[in-house]
Amino acid sequence: MTDLLVPALFTAFVWWFSTGAILWLDGLHPRTYRASLTGASALAALALTGLAATKDDTSLGGAYVAFLCGLVIWAWQEMAFLMGLVSGPRRIPSEPEAPPLRRFGQAVMAILHHELAILAGAALVLALTWGGENLVGVWTYLLLWVMRLSAKLNLFLGVPNLAEEFLPDHLAYLQSYFRRRPMNLLFPFSVTGGTIGTVLLFQAAMAEGVTAAVAAGYVFLGTMLALAVLEHWFLVLPIPSVLLWAWSLRDDALGRARQAWTTSLSGPCDTEALRSVLDAASRGAYGKVETLSGSVRAGSGWVEFYATPRGATICACAAPASAEARVTAVGRGVDLARLEAALAACATAEALTEAT
């Protein structure tokens, strides 16, 4: 039993600590990201070397090394995404009234480069270990990829807990691709499939005649899959998962008391006046606005916009299905009265421009 308990506890600790370390590094000032990614890249290069060196190592030590190498390579992918190095060509919110297929396409474009980087990483890992006997690192990477993809799809389809406190400011626009719903049809299949896989992996680890190294490999994978299923349950159960990594998060990420406000605007807006409001919101003129987004009429067309403390963007877009201008603000201590008045003044400015 000790042969199974030790690798299980080791996996749980590495999962908990590595996740917290990534969140802590991501919570630092963006000027530290280059150093963090440089260090992570060096570790990833060592991990790739380690996978190649241990592909024929069937010892217990070889299983541990391969597992850690697979995890480090996956951690690089997570850091590259969270720190903005690799995300997608679309870095603006989803259109508020976009139909499901259009919203899905926009969501894919928002993370396309990240998914391609994961695919390239998988190809490299497979190439380095092809024909080898120790594939623990390969399966670790692939398992994490599948379960993370499942989590992304569940967030897109809708779950009660969106875990937005884990998103850095520069990726806050991704919240617009999430949906807050009691449940979705994919979720039961995700957790059931993950649970069955966990049971099968642990059964394989306890089978007669299995060597300590092979058993440890199955335990590594089974424990990681069980933890991935647990992360899925965090999306639907009233459990404050953020407390698991309280030591690694900034104070404002722990139990943020957010305000959320949505309104409609009548009449087209003056684009320059709107940009001034967005810039002011980014600088904190209306309180701690985390995100300010929406789509409004401007001139003869429509624009969609997005603002965070890191800046604002405005771009042309198709008219929403409802043909209604909507604005949403999320933050803490937001002066909603002043913000609403400033946005309404954008429509007034456009009317005055037309009158002259």
Side-chain angles (χ1 to χ4, degrees), residues 16 24 116 141 169 180 185 212 224 235 241 265 289 313 337 340:
W16 170 78
W24 181 77
L116 291 176
Y141 184 95
D169 291 340
R180 197 179 298 278
L185 293 177
M224 286 302 304
L235 298 176
S241 61
L265 291 179
V289 177
T313 59
E340 186 171 12

Side-chain angles (χ1 to χ4, degrees), residues 59-355:
S59 68
L60 182 60
Y64 271 86
V65 171
F67 168 69
L68 285 175
C69 288
L71 199 61
V72 168
I73 297 165
W74 179 260
W76 183 92
Q77 298 283 7
E78 291 289 325
M79 288 182 64
F81 175 67
L82 289 173
M83 294 184 178
L85 177 64
V86 182
S87 55
R90 182 182 176 88
R91 302 197 177 196
I92 56 177
S94 171
E95 295 174 12
E97 303 296 331
L101 285 178
R102 184 184 181 93
R103 189 170 70 89
F104 180 76
Q106 292 175 353
V108 170
M109 296 306 291
I111 60 172
L112 179 62
H113 296 160
H114 174 53
E115 293 301 324
L116 291 176
I118 293 175
L119 178 61
L124 182 57
V125 166
L126 286 169
L128 289 173
T129 57
W130 192 261
E133 297 184 54
N134 179 7
L135 301 179
V136 173
V138 177
W139 286 112
T140 297
Y141 184 95
L142 295 178
L143 183 150
L144 288 168
W145 183 12
V146 170
M147 293 307 290
R148 186 50 54 97
L149 182 60
S150 172
K152 291 173 183 174
L153 288 172
N154 275 283
L155 286 167
F156 174 81
L157 294 171
V159 288
N161 307 320
L162 301 181
E164 61 265 44
E165 62 270 22
F166 294 118
L167 280 177
D169 291 340
H170 58 273
L171 294 179
Y173 63 88
L174 292 177
Q175 296 178 45
S176 65
Y177 299 96
F178 302 164
R179 287 292 180 267
R180 197 179 298 278
R181 293 174 179 168
M183 181 64 66
N184 68 76
L185 293 177
L186 175 63
F187 184 83
F189 292 96
S190 297
V191 296
T192 301
T195 301
I196 292 173
T198 299
V199 172
L200 292 176
L201 285 167
F202 275 102
Q203 285 181 342
M206 293 184 288
E208 291 186 9
V210 173
T211 66
V214 172
Y218 282 129
V219 173
F220 292 146
L221 297 173
T223 305
M224 286 302 304
L225 188 53
L227 292 170
V229 172
L230 177 63
E231 289 182 325
H232 276 65
W233 281 113
F234 285 154
L235 298 176
V236 300
L237 296 178
I239 301 174
S241 61
V242 67
L243 297 180
L244 284 173
W245 297 282
W247 58 274
S248 66
L249 295 170
R250 297 170 300 176
D251 291 340
D252 63 339
L254 299 174
R256 291 177 180 171
R258 283 188 173 92
Q259 297 169 280
W261 163 83
T262 301
T263 189
S264 58
L265 291 179
S266 59
C269 289
D270 179 76
T271 305
E272 291 305 314
L274 177 60
R275 185 176 294 279
S276 295
V277 173
L278 297 178
D279 289 340
S282 297
R283 295 193 301 269
Y286 305 103
K288 295 182 179 180
V289 177
E290 293 181 23
T291 61
L292 177 61
S293 61
S295 58
V296 298
R297 284 185 291 161
S300 59
W302 287 75
V303 296
E304 61 182 356
F305 59 87
Y306 194 76
T308 72
R310 297 182 185 277
T313 59
I314 300 179
C315 65
C317 70
S322 64
E324 182 181 16
R326 303 289 293 177
V327 180
T328 300
V330 177
R332 296 178 295 120
V334 179
D335 190 338
L336 296 179
R338 287 184 58 239
L339 180 56
E340 186 171 12
L343 289 167
C346 295
T348 302
E350 174 69 11
L352 290 173
T353 300
E354 291 180 350

Side-chain angles (χ1 to χ4, degrees), residues 19-71:
T19 301
I22 292 172
L23 293 174
W24 181 77
L25 290 170
D26 189 54
L28 299 177
H29 194 279
R31 64 172 174 265
T32 67
Y33 288 177
R34 177 175 295 183
S36 295
L37 287 170
T38 299
S41 298
L43 288 175
L46 287 174
L48 290 169
T49 303
L51 281 181
T54 59
K55 72 173 186 176
D56 294 316
D57 186 350
T58 57
S59 68
L60 182 60
Y64 271 86
V65 171
F67 168 69
L68 285 175
C69 288
L71 199 61

